[in-house]
Amino acid sequence: MRRLAGLRAARCRSAQSPILSKGRSFMTDKIRDAFTENVADPARKAGEALRDAGGKMAESSSAIGIKMLDQAEANAREAFAAMRAAAGAKDLSEVMKIQGDFLREQSQRSVSQAREMGEVILQFGRDAVGAVRGEK
């Protein structure tokens, strides 16, 4: 009797095998599609966004460095111009006036340069965050 039950079970399994195989294949495809849609594609998109953000950060940091060099060059140029003027002054009161004018202009230039750098850095942050979010 056990033998008969075993043979019937084996026959049932062999008869159902193509059906089970087809069902397993269907489930495997569903799992693969769900994995691709919910894990692989978002991971790929996130990687692309990070790569784009890295490129924007490199561009922005280069622009910031160049801007800082331009400002330092302008400051040095103005300082040397003031020193030349002071060297050609006829008396101490003229030297004091030249220095006072230079300090006032340098103060205004520093405020302007700080504002300019703040705007550049703020834009740099916006670009970096936008790239990570996938915004172009």
Side-chain angles (χ1 to χ4, degrees):
M1 187 131 175
R2 284 186 184 172
R3 195 169 196 203
L4 185 58
L7 286 173
R8 284 184 185 160
R11 249 190 271 145
C12 286
R13 273 186 295 232
S14 67
Q16 291 177 355
S17 182
I19 293 170
L20 289 176
S21 175
K22 200 175 224 184
R24 285 186 198 122
S25 175
F26 176 75
M27 288 304 292
T28 302
D29 291 345
K30 290 286 253 182
I31 291 169
R32 185 180 324 111
D33 292 345
F35 177 81
T36 300
E37 183 179 328
N38 296 317
V39 177
D41 287 346
R44 182 182 48 76
K45 288 177 185 174
E48 290 171 358
L50 286 174
R51 186 180 61 238
D52 292 345
K56 286 200 184 281
M57 287 171 50
E59 290 172 19
S60 296
S61 63
S62 176
I64 289 170
I66 290 171
K67 179 66 74 180
M68 290 174 71
L69 288 172
D70 290 345
Q71 290 177 352
E73 183 180 11
N75 292 340
R77 200 176 318 113
E78 293 299 323
F80 280 110
M83 284 190 274
R84 278 192 191 92
K90 295 179 181 143
D91 60 14
L92 186 59
S93 64
E94 191 177 348
V95 170
M96 296 303 284
K97 181 184 179 323
I98 291 168
Q99 284 183 330
D101 291 345
F102 170 75
L103 289 174
R104 185 176 52 257
E105 290 169 5
Q106 182 60 37
S107 176
Q108 292 169 348
R109 210 174 12 262
S110 293
V111 169
S112 174
Q113 290 172 347
R115 184 179 303 119
E116 197 176 326
M117 286 304 297
E119 290 170 3
V120 169
I121 291 170
L122 187 61
Q123 187 60 47
F124 163 70
R126 285 182 190 136
D127 290 347
V129 169
V132 169
R133 289 182 179 168
E135 300 167 3
K136 296 289 178 175

